[in-house]
Amino acid sequence: MTDVSLGMPQLPAPDFPAEVRARLEADAKEVIGRYPDSRSALLPLLHLVQSEEGYVSRTGIRFCAEMLDLTTAEVTAVVTFYTMYRRKPSGEYQVGVCTNTLCAVMGGDAIFDELKEHLGVGNNGTTEDGKITLEHIECNAACDFAPVVMVNWEFFDNQTPDSAKRLVDDLRAGEQVTPTRGAPLCTYKETARILAGFPDERPGAVESTGGAGPASLIGLRLAKGELSAARVVAQRSEVRHETPPHDPSPAEHLSSHDAPQQTSASDPEHPAGPAAEEGE
């Protein structure tokens, strides 16, 4: 029989240093005060502790649990459900390549494969210099700009393998990188603090804009009456015949679904006639 070792139980997570704890508590109380039920503040509090360490550590989980009077198991269940929370130390820039259907068809898979080789890391891997963590993302909700790469949740549209490699090289070199649209790029910790609900105090960041493209907004414009809906197929009641109606020949039918079908012998209203015996 093979010996099985269950190992020693894990010790409780250490607390933040006193000065860090005091600062985070002040921020956490501000966040909690926005909600009628304190546990509703869990998601922004997880972003808050992530802005401190760059990921949600066991210490961060303990802090959130204590602030909201929850168990660490309850907090852990939430952390492991949402992919925006990191579970281990990773890069200063989270580079996500969309590999969902449209982006993949347009080149997302090729971009992801080339970046893995170029950076020497796999999915959720971090470069040795600690600058880049690479991950594939299921959808960035920007299909009309496919293929899309996101860095710390900012859009870099219409990418190619070469442009994506230049992008990560510039990030690693400390060059200024400008997203296609949206706010200027900041570090992952800075992004996490903004997601926790604290204002972006960088000059010009709030004024920066960038929304969906024309293809994504057509439905909204139609709903607002800004465009007239073009009917692709006319309703049957709206079809006007220039000549008297007649029974069309099979060649005139637009679809086999409209063509006369051979009726079943079991249909009493449309008998097919007596079935011939085999060999007759």
Side-chain angles (χ1 to χ4, degrees), residues 97-115 145-149 158-164:
V97 182
C98 184
T99 56
N100 212 336
T101 307
L102 185 56
C103 277
V105 169
M106 298 295 288
D109 284 340
I111 291 173
F112 188 57
D113 289 341
E114 294 223 14
L115 284 183
F145 296 110
V148 175
V149 173
N158 301 310
Q159 292 293 297
T160 66
D162 287 340
S163 68

Side-chain angles (χ1 to χ4, degrees), residues 222 227-231:
L222 283 170
L227 297 176
S228 59
R231 176 162 290 165

Side-chain angles (χ1 to χ4, degrees), residues 125-150:
T126 301
T127 55
E128 293 182 358
D129 58 8
K131 289 288 186 180
I132 305 290
T133 295
L134 179 67
E135 69 169 341
H136 78 82
I137 297 176
E138 286 302 321
C139 184
N140 282 326
C143 298
D144 45 338
F145 296 110
V148 175
V149 173
M150 294 194 86

Side-chain angles (χ1 to χ4, degrees), residues 21-213:
R21 172 88 187 199
R23 175 165 45 79
L24 288 177
E25 276 192 12
D27 287 339
K29 289 177 181 177
E30 179 181 340
V31 172
I32 294 170
R34 302 169 187 165
Y35 298 90
D37 185 348
S38 64
R39 70 181 297 149
S40 298
L42 178 54
L43 297 184
L45 281 195
L46 289 170
H47 284 299
L48 177 63
V49 297
Q50 188 160 250
S51 74
E52 183 65 33
E53 299 184 282
Y55 71 110
V56 180
S57 66
R58 292 176 60 238
T59 297
I61 290 174
R62 170 185 167 179
F63 173 81
C64 293
E66 291 174 354
M67 293 300 299
L68 300 175
D69 195 24
L70 300 172
T71 67
T72 55
E74 289 175 307
V75 177
T76 301
V78 175
V79 174
T80 55
F81 182 82
Y82 292 102
T83 59
M84 288 182 71
Y85 301 119
R86 297 176 176 177
R87 299 302 314 283
K88 62 181 181 179
S90 42
E92 187 175 351
Y93 297 100
Q94 185 93 3
V95 176
V97 182
C98 184
T99 56
N100 212 336
T101 307
L102 185 56
C103 277
V105 169
M106 298 295 288
D109 284 340
I111 291 173
F112 188 57
D113 289 341
E114 294 223 14
L115 284 183
K116 285 192 292 185
E117 181 177 356
H118 185 67
L119 296 172
V121 298
N123 185 38
N124 290 319
T126 301
T127 55
E128 293 182 358
D129 58 8
K131 289 288 186 180
I132 305 290
T133 295
L134 179 67
E135 69 169 341
H136 78 82
I137 297 176
E138 286 302 321
C139 184
N140 282 326
C143 298
D144 45 338
F145 296 110
V148 175
V149 173
M150 294 194 86
V151 179
N152 295 348
W153 313 115
E154 299 295 346
F155 287 102
F156 291 81
D157 302 321
N158 301 310
Q159 292 293 297
T160 66
D162 287 340
S163 68
K165 286 187 286 188
R166 288 195 299 271
L167 170 62
V168 296
D169 286 346
D170 288 345
L171 291 171
R172 300 181 75 180
E175 300 288 342
Q176 183 176 2
V177 174
T178 303
T180 307
R181 52 203 164 96
L185 193 64
C186 57
T187 66
Y188 191 79
K189 289 183 179 181
E190 291 169 333
T191 302
R193 184 169 177 82
I194 295 169
L195 291 174
F198 293 93
D200 188 345
E201 298 177 350
R202 295 173 298 158
V206 176
E207 292 76 18
S208 299
T209 59

